[in-house]
Structures are given as structure tokens and as C-alpha cells.
Amino acid sequence: MTLGKIETIAISGPAMLTVVWDNQRRADVDLGPLIAARANLAPLADRFVFATAAISDDGWAVEWPVGIDFGSAQLRRWADEQIGETMPSAGLRTWMERHDLTLDTAAAALGLSRRTIAYYLSGEQVIPKTVMLATEGYDARRAA
């Protein structure tokens, strides 16, 4: 994932932003589930407040006058998760719980280190599509 500054944004739904970065990557980011899940984001549930979104002066965030902002990298991460290019941390955690896997057993199943799994679960590192596909392959093998 190449990070870039935000060039333009558009409100494309009640809680949806269309973001264009300076590397010409364009993506829709649905913030609805996030807004609904977090009390501190409740002001953004108001469509008039949400519509006041603006790009920060330095181009590295989208901000609202109510004191809420999201960085360029996080918006890109959510966009990639929503289109299936990366796996959300919660998806990996759910997969591990479904198979009753520990950090060690998940790492062994995916051919990764325990530390890498911990980084993925904490959200410190983006979970690449290859890992998402490996979890799906693991599921398919177990189902066969």
C-alpha cells in the first residue's frame, strides 16, 4: 500500500466519503459502521455534520469542525478492507476463535511468526490479502 496525501474528498452517501489521494488512488470509504459502533463519533451520524468534512491543511487527514478527524493512512486502510484488498483485524480474530487457535497455532497454520500474528491482531500492521486468502484456504481444507 502506497500512502499519499488526500487531494479531494466528496460526500457520496450518508456516512460515505469518496477519497482521491495524490497517487491517483480513488476509493469509497463507508464510515457508517464505525460511526454507529463508537459513541465518540456520534456527531458524524448527523448528515449535516458529516457533510462538513474537509481536508486538513497539510492534506494528511479529513477533519470535521466537531473535533473528529481521520488520517489518510487509516482511510486508505478502511477502503482496502472494504473492497477485500486487505483483511480487518477483527476478521483474523474471528477466524482464530472459530478454529480455537492461539497465536502460536495460528502462526503455524499460516506459516507466519507469532509476532506477526500479534501485530495483525493489534492493528499495528495491515493484514495483506495473501493472509486473508490463506485463512480462506484453511477453511476450505477443513471443510473438505
Side-chain angles (χ1 to χ4, degrees):
M1 170 171 69
T2 303
L3 297 180
K5 287 186 177 183
I6 298 168
E7 281 196 345
T8 64
I9 60 167
I11 308 303
S12 48
M16 178 90 69
L17 290 175
T18 299
V19 181
V20 178
W21 287 268
D22 64 1
N23 60 5
Q24 302 312 304
R25 171 80 159 92
R26 175 191 173 97
D28 292 322
V29 185
D30 183 3
L31 299 173
L34 182 68
I35 293 167
R38 300 204 176 141
N40 62 325
L41 300 178
L44 298 183
D46 180 313
R47 66 184 175 101
F48 297 108
V49 172
F50 190 83
T52 63
I55 301 171
S56 65
D57 290 339
D58 65 3
W60 287 104
V62 173
E63 55 191 17
W64 286 265
V66 294
I68 297 171
D69 62 77
F70 297 120
S72 174
Q74 187 60 59
L75 289 166
R76 174 64 189 271
R77 184 175 189 164
W78 288 329
D80 287 348
E81 288 174 357
Q82 290 172 8
I83 63 168
E85 286 299 313
T86 61
M87 182 180 204
S89 296
L92 180 60
R93 185 172 307 283
T94 299
W95 175 79
M96 289 174 61
E97 289 170 356
R98 185 171 57 247
H99 297 292
D100 197 29
L101 299 173
T102 64
L103 287 173
D104 291 321
T105 57
L110 298 173
L112 301 168
S113 71
R114 182 183 199 280
R115 177 173 287 187
T116 297
I117 298 295
Y119 283 144
Y120 290 162
L121 291 173
S122 72
E124 190 171 332
Q125 291 183 5
V126 173
I127 304 171
K129 189 174 190 173
T130 54
V131 173
M132 179 179 63
L133 293 172
T135 62
E136 292 171 5
Y138 183 92
D139 289 346
R141 275 191 165 182
R142 291 199 39 139

